[in-house]
Amino acid sequence: MAFAIQFVIDVLSLGGAYALMALGLVIIYGILRLVNFAYGELIMVAGYTMFLASGSGLPWIVMAVLAVGMAILFGIITDYAAFRPVRAKSVTAVLITSFAFSNLLQNAALLFISPRPRNVPLPDIFSQTVSIGGAITPVRNLITIAASIVLLAGVAFLMRRTTLGIAMRAAATNFTMARMLGVPANLVISSAFALSGFLAGVVGILWIGRIGTVVPGVGLEPLLVAFIATVIGGMRSLPGAVVGGFLLALIDTTLNYTLSQDLLKFRDAFTFSLVILILLWRPEGLIRGPASGQRT
Amino acid sequence: MKHSFLTALILIAVIAIIAVGSQLLGIRLYDRIATNLLISLVLVVGLQTFMGNSGLLSFAHIGFMGLGAYTSAVLTIPTQMKGMALPDLYEFMKVVEVSPLLAMVAAGMLAAVVAAVVAYPLMRLSDAAAVITSFALLVVLYTVMNNWSAFTNGPRTLFGLPKTTDMPVAAIVASIVVLVALAFKESRTGKLLRASREDEIAAAALGADIPHLRWRAFILAAFIAGIGGALWGHFITSFAPKAFYLKETFLIITMLVIGGASTVTGAVAGTILITFAYEGLRGTEGALNATAFGAGQVVGLTEIVLALAMIAVMIVKPGGLFPNREIGHILTRARRKKETVA
């Protein structure tokens, strides 16, 4: 029983974080059909903001809000620096600028901060553990589960019930038509980048909360996770991103529990093979989103 | 067809000029830079055969280069050194020692076989998903190289490769690769693939089996990358899996994209341009570190400048320097124009 609880908590906390990351990526992809390679760097920005603020003596929660704010700001900057100038050009051009922008941010952190890991301030609650029905689990896992439930519900509400959300979904379904009907395109796109930055910022705090330090390359792993989750789930569907995130977490956790130490080193290779199998079965991903119209 | 011939002639002449020029100068540093340039040329032109013709970005190329480098290493490290260099190597491999040339071909073949197996399902994916999975593939290849201690010595540095790559070898391989890339571009597969790049639906309607065409190009690219990896391995003689990851991927993609991914000329021009820029910037970085005004090491400056250059090129000239015509084509057109004017 304890084992089952442990397993469920692991899957849910990992899956929650994965789902949020994938969602942040799909929000951009859904509207613009653009893959944001610089997405992982938003997590890095959140981490370094925490590090830089750690000497200020501010309460932790203020630093966290600051970090999320910076991630949102950099999300919007990504739009202006890497996407807006080439939006009308080829998909490859956009991919390459976002890849270059990701490299730019990483190397800027390398040059101006440090190549070495930097400690990030964390409240005590992140390192405590609790026992639930015999299973001992870190409190931060429960925080991750709670945060992902709240945020997923929040995003669902935003997308379904608010004017902004409806505008974003309209833009995702048929950008040109939405524009003709008076949806302010640039505002919608900037909002999508802000929302994506917000999700990355929150995930960043939860993710870095596990490791406790930040390095310039910290965004790679979350980026890869988000990538794979979106491909499994379906690149165009928001529920698909969430499903993909949880499924990937289920695969990862199962492998963690079942593989021997020798094989565990190759976990990423196993995960990826499973992804290939899923894609063989469903090349479009598990959940097919709305057929999207032409990109601007 | 005539201008393809002219293109091949000009590009090989450029390679020859680089090779002979650096030999004549007789400065060891230049010789190293030029050999490095020619090896990069092999990799970038190899990537061009896939990316340029299919229009899909592939991030996995450097992974196949790593595969080639390690294959060639395992096959060529002298048997008496193998115990030291690769302590965990399988018994039956310990007695194997083949000539570097044979090992190079084997490296290409192995990379091609691995590419053929893993990439078949991936080629069915559409643009963004295909890019993402190729990125994931790079991570997987890196993970395997980093952990398969028996073959790669794990994350530690592998040493003991015979140094067989010198300027003439690199120049010959680079020339052959340029010829292969041009021939592939003009082949039936290449033409159909380029048609699918321009309009996927129209090409499919004409009966082009796009996933299959992409698959062929991907295998060819991996084969060339494997050979490039072996070439590089026998030049550098000791390396670790770190050498086959994102930094290098970024570099070769920059070379290809700035030069122009759709043409072989672009691949060659981009490689030359970025190699010079890179060496120049590295020199500047080194000079800044030598003066050491207290602040510590300057790292990442080169990459920052290259990233800015890449963004700038994408905004101003998204097709790169040679967006759609090979150098031979440009020259014949220019001459014809002059004739009609006169």
Side-chain angles (χ1 to χ4, degrees), chain A residues 125 127-131 136-139:
Chain A
I125 196 164
S127 47
Q128 285 160 3
T129 55
V130 336
S131 164
I136 296 166
T137 181
V139 179

Side-chain angles (χ1 to χ4, degrees), chain B residues 215-296:
Chain B
W215 186 54
R216 284 191 198 171
F218 195 80
I219 293 172
L220 178 65
F223 179 73
I224 298 175
I227 288 189
L231 205 60
W232 183 81
H234 291 286
F235 174 63
I236 220 88
T237 69
S238 64
F239 52 81
K242 268 208 316 279
F244 311 107
Y245 211 32
L246 290 169
K247 205 177 160 191
E248 292 63 33
T249 303
F250 178 63
L251 195 62
I252 61 160
I253 291 185
T254 311
M255 287 176 174
L256 183 55
V257 162
I258 287 183
S262 303
T263 60
V264 181
T265 313
V268 174
T271 311
I272 296 173
L273 195 71
I274 300 300
T275 302
F276 285 132
Y278 190 80
E279 293 300 334
L281 286 165
R282 277 266 296 273
T284 316
E285 229 175 67
L288 282 176
N289 280 333
T291 53
F293 35 91

Side-chain angles (χ1 to χ4, degrees), chain A residues 25 29 33 35 37 81 85-86 89 91-93 95-97 99-101 103-104 107-108 110-112 115 220 223-224 227-228 230-231 235-236 265-266 268-269 272 275-276 279-281 283, chain B residues 51 55 57 59 118 121-122 124-125 127-129 131-133 135-137 139-140 143-144 147-149 245-246 249-250 253 257 297-301 303-304 307-308 310-311 314-316 318:
Chain A
L25 205 63
Y29 187 82
R33 305 243 285 121
V35 179
F37 268 98
V86 290
K89 290 167 186 158
V91 178
T92 316
L95 275 168
I96 288 167
T97 47
F99 184 49
F101 191 68
N103 237 284
L104 185 71
N107 283 289
L110 208 64
L111 183 62
F112 297 117
L220 175 65
L223 177 74
L224 195 73
F227 272 179
I228 296 184
T230 50
V231 173
M235 296 280 303
R236 290 183 204 163
K265 295 183 295 189
F266 296 101
D268 286 353
F272 187 66
V275 172
I276 292 183
L279 290 176
L280 267 172
W281 170 47
Chain B
M51 238 178 94
L57 205 56
F59 281 95
V118 294
L122 303 186
R124 302 200 305 172
L125 298 176
D127 45 14
V131 176
I132 287 174
T133 43
F135 190 77
L137 187 55
V139 178
V140 170
T143 310
V144 171
N147 291 302
W148 197 0
S149 305
Y245 211 32
L246 290 169
T249 303
F250 178 63
I253 291 185
V257 162
Q297 296 285 304
V298 180
V299 279
L301 188 66
E303 278 78 13
I304 290 178
L308 285 173
M310 199 135 120
I311 294 176
M314 282 299 108
I315 294 172
V316 182

Side-chain angles (χ1 to χ4, degrees), chain B residues 1 3-4 7 48-49 52-53 178-194 197 220 261-266 322-327 329:
Chain B
M1 213 52 223
H3 44 75
S4 278
T7 306
Q48 196 277 336
T49 56
N53 294 306
V178 164
L179 286 178
V180 169
L182 283 170
F184 181 73
K185 201 182 160 195
E186 294 305 325
S187 73
R188 186 181 154 76
T189 309
K191 279 180 176 150
L192 281 169
L193 203 52
R194 279 188 288 143
R197 179 190 71 194
L220 178 65
S262 303
T263 60
V264 181
T265 313
F322 291 89
N324 44 38
R325 288 199 185 86
E326 301 288 354
I327 183 81
H329 199 178

